Amino acid sequence: MYRFKYPLEKWDESDIDKRIIRDLIAEHQNFTKDKLKCIEYYEGLHSIANRTKDNSQPNNKVVCNHAKNITDTAVGYFMGSPITYKNTDKADIEDLLLAFDDANVDDVDHDNAHECSIFGLTYEYVYRKKDTTEPVSKNISMLEAFIIVDDTIEENKLAGVYYYNKRDDAQKKDHWVAMICTENYLYENIPVVPDASDSTIDVDPKPHMFGAVPMIEILNNKEGIGDFEQQISLIDAYETLMSDRVNDKEQFVDSILAIYGAILGDDTAKTKEALAELKRLKLLELPIDAKAEYLNRQMDENGVETLRKAIQEDIYTFSHVPNLTDDNFSGNASGVALEYKLLGLEMLTKVKERQYRKALRERILLYANAKSLTAIAADAGSIVPQFSRGLPKNLVELAQIVSVLDGKVSTETLLGLLPFVEDPAGEVEAVEEEKEASAERQQAMFGLRPNTFPSDEEEPAEERTGQTETIVDRTEEEEKKKADE
């Protein structure tokens, strides 16, 4: 993964040299040229569309968008369900989760995963809403953003750069501007002019309260490679094969009719007239020794189909993303067989998850600093993100697992296994409240009181004494009756 470095001893975040930023932007644009093909292939703009042939030959251009299928499948499996968070420390993270909900980070997470799958990396910019102090996040394409690190072995982050074309569609004007965010300052709307010779940034830096560079780099893997980036040549081969296959079919339909031992007409006009009658009547009369046949090339359909399947299998094999529409995949749905078929995708997703956890730690720290959550900021590593796979769940099997492990594993952990429970901790509290409410209803229904001794305030001493005397008198009368009998 290429890094944009700058010497630490020369860096001054309060006085940034404009020429440095302009040079790094030019270098970044050279770096992104190879990545442009990735987004083109995802959108269906493949190389087969540019193929040219002689006008006399059919030139079908069949686009089979395996790139989009690979990305959509990988992203759906990895980020199909929202991320949940569990705190292993005693700090309350409710305010942090509310800030995440207000910022719609679930949508940002999906955008980040989508961009990572296409390009191999992406960026998330954390900033404050206009006229508010609430932090929000936005996904930024790697085509328009990069980070600058120092030249030490740790490669500490110095700044984040986001440059874009600021348009005015009403006036039909546009110009390129850049935004630079450092550990303590923010520079906005910096004009980016390629031939500018000045070195001063004529924008006053604004301090921010995030406590770190508010731009997060998210990698798809350590090398920053997209999910289908290395399979583009196989996709081209597949589309060439399919296009030529359609061309052969078209040429077969337009085959030449050869007539031996006869002619349709003495001149061109009569020949055309005879051909028109032949097409209308679908009948051709020839002398006894004459014959007619179409000239066409024999196609090896079995060989072409075998090659097509081999190329398609290689595309999905090397990308580690299974073809979910394959008959062999859907035919065996047992748990163990499904796990083996998803082994490659699971390994791919584990790598994605490991890289994304690093980004989430940075996001948690930025949000905690912005919301003044000092306890969380001091130990952001104690908050553990929990990912869930986007696969159909066997709820009966999960319910049995929860029942078997009841009493051996905490209730919160067991509820976390159920896909329809988004907040296990809140669910445990809700269950306890329901139990208490149910017990109170039963007591009210049967007129039950708490099993305690009555207090002096509830029953006067005189009443208790009278009750005791009455019981003693009744006992004496019963003993006299027994004696008389």
Side-chain angles (χ1 to χ4, degrees):
M1 176 58 198
Y2 187 79
R3 296 282 186 181
F4 295 91
K5 294 185 177 182
Y6 189 76
L8 178 61
E9 63 274 8
K10 296 182 180 180
W11 179 255
D12 183 6
E13 64 175 344
S14 62
D15 186 17
I16 301 176
D17 192 338
K18 185 177 181 180
R19 291 172 297 184
I20 297 173
I21 302 303
R22 188 177 64 248
D23 293 343
L24 290 177
I25 288 176
E27 186 69 22
H28 179 259
Q29 289 178 333
N30 292 330
F31 170 73
T32 57
K33 287 180 180 179
D34 295 335
K35 293 290 185 178
L36 286 173
K37 182 181 287 188
C38 295
I39 188 62
E40 290 175 352
Y41 267 69
Y42 179 82
E43 295 176 350
L45 305 176
H46 297 190
S47 297
I48 190 68
N50 300 322
R51 187 174 71 167
T52 58
K53 280 190 174 184
D54 186 6
N55 294 332
S56 62
Q57 297 179 348
N59 184 21
N60 291 281
K61 304 171 185 179
V62 179
V63 174
C64 305
N65 205 341
H66 290 94
K68 186 177 186 302
N69 186 44
I70 290 173
T71 287
D72 292 349
T73 302
V75 173
Y77 184 76
F78 171 50
M79 203 64 74
S81 301
I83 301 173
T84 58
Y85 298 87
K86 181 179 180 181
N87 190 14
T88 58
D89 200 2
K90 296 181 180 179
D92 187 9
I93 62 172
E94 186 65 25
D95 291 338
L96 178 66
L97 297 181
L98 289 176
F100 283 173
D101 290 339
D102 293 339
N104 295 321
V105 295
D106 291 342
D107 293 339
V108 179
D109 287 332
H110 190 276
D111 293 340
N112 290 340
H114 188 264
E115 290 280 323
C116 276
S117 179
I118 296 175
F119 297 110
L121 74 158
T122 189
Y123 294 91
E124 177 180 334
Y125 176 50
V126 182
Y127 62 100
R128 293 184 184 274
K129 283 184 179 180
K130 187 177 181 180
D131 300 329
T132 68
T133 59
E134 297 299 320
V136 290
S137 295
K138 179 178 176 56
N139 169 262
I140 298 178
S141 173
M142 60 82 58
L143 299 176
E144 299 176 334
F146 60 92
I147 62 171
I148 306 172
V149 298
D150 62 27
D151 56 350
T152 64
I153 190 173
E154 295 180 353
E155 296 185 345
N156 297 307
K157 193 186 303 183
L158 296 177
V161 179
Y162 170 44
Y163 62 97
Y164 58 97
N165 190 10
K166 195 170 185 179
R167 298 181 309 185
D168 184 355
D169 292 333
Q171 300 294 329
K172 304 298 182 181
K173 296 180 180 180
D174 61 341
H175 61 283
W176 285 85
V177 296
M179 182 276 296
I180 306 172
C181 54
T182 65
E183 184 177 355
N184 298 296
Y185 298 103
L186 178 65
Y187 299 81
E188 294 181 304
N189 295 322
I190 304 172
V192 179
V193 183
D195 58 350
S197 59
D198 59 321
S199 62
T200 304
I201 295 179
D202 299 328
V203 176
D204 294 331
K206 299 178 182 178
H208 63 75
M209 304 301 293
F210 289 105
V213 178
M215 184 176 289
I216 306 170
E217 183 182 59
I218 307 172
L219 298 177
N220 193 50
N221 44 58
K222 186 177 180 181
E223 296 78 17
I225 299 175
D227 288 336
F228 62 84
E229 187 173 348
Q230 295 182 327
Q231 282 69 54
I232 289 179
S233 60
L234 285 171
I235 296 174
D236 288 340
Y238 187 92
E239 292 174 342
T240 300
L241 178 65
M242 294 302 296
S243 299
D244 291 341
R245 196 174 183 179
V246 176
N247 290 340
D248 291 340
K249 288 290 185 182
E250 187 173 333
Q251 288 177 335
F252 179 81
V253 173
D254 294 337
S255 299
I256 298 174
L257 177 63
I259 301 176
Y260 304 92
I263 58 175
L264 293 178
D266 296 334
D267 53 22
T268 303
K270 292 184 178 180
T271 300
K272 290 182 178 180
E273 182 180 353
L275 287 174
E277 289 295 315
L278 177 61
K279 291 181 179 180
R280 186 177 66 85
L281 299 175
K282 307 297 182 184
L283 178 65
L284 179 63
E285 294 184 2
L286 296 173
I288 297 177
D289 296 334
K291 68 173 184 177
E293 63 181 9
Y294 281 104
L295 299 179
N296 53 63
R297 183 175 58 186
Q298 297 296 324
M299 294 183 294
D300 184 9
E301 283 290 343
N302 293 330
V304 174
E305 180 64 14
T306 301
L307 180 58
R308 183 193 71 83
K309 290 182 178 180
I311 297 176
Q312 185 182 50
E313 184 178 352
D314 285 345
I315 291 174
Y316 288 105
T317 298
F318 296 136
S319 66
H320 298 295
V321 177
N323 183 9
L324 299 180
T325 61
D326 183 63
D327 294 336
N328 295 327
F329 186 87
S330 59
N332 193 346
S334 65
V336 177
L338 193 61
E339 289 179 1
Y340 273 111
K341 290 180 180 295
L342 292 174
L343 181 60
L345 180 58
E346 182 64 25
M347 291 189 297
L348 179 72
T349 306
K350 286 290 186 183
V351 176
K352 291 173 176 283
E353 185 177 312
R354 190 180 307 116
Q355 297 293 335
Y356 208 83
R357 285 180 187 274
K358 298 178 183 178
L360 290 177
R361 292 194 193 100
E362 293 189 48
R363 178 198 288 173
I364 291 171
L365 181 61
L366 293 173
Y367 273 71
N369 289 335
K371 300 287 290 184
S372 299
L373 304 175
T374 56
I376 295 176
D379 191 12
S382 64
I383 302 176
V384 181
Q386 295 179 322
F387 298 82
S388 56
R389 304 292 183 252
L391 276 179
K393 302 291 185 181
N394 188 341
L395 297 181
V396 176
E397 182 180 354
L398 290 176
Q400 292 174 350
I401 294 174
V402 171
S403 178
V404 171
L405 296 179
D406 187 21
K408 301 177 182 178
V409 182
S410 67
T411 304
E412 184 175 338
T413 301
L414 292 178
L415 291 178
L417 299 175
L418 303 177
F420 52 82
V421 178
E422 296 183 359
D423 184 8
E427 195 68 22
V428 172
E429 294 179 1
V431 171
E432 293 297 330
E433 292 176 359
E434 288 183 357
K435 287 181 179 180
E436 293 177 1
S438 177
E440 292 177 357
R441 285 196 300 268
Q442 290 181 357
Q443 291 177 0
M445 184 181 301
F446 294 103
L448 299 177
R449 296 191 210 174
N451 190 16
T452 58
F453 289 102
S455 62
D456 294 341
E457 296 179 357
E458 294 177 354
E459 189 173 5
E462 295 81 4
E463 294 182 4
R464 293 201 305 271
T465 304
Q467 292 176 358
T468 305
E469 292 175 354
T470 303
I471 294 173
V472 173
D473 294 341
R474 192 183 306 119
T475 304
E476 291 178 354
E477 290 177 0
E478 291 177 354
E479 290 180 355
K480 288 179 180 181
K481 288 181 180 180
K482 290 181 180 180
D484 294 341
E485 293 176 356

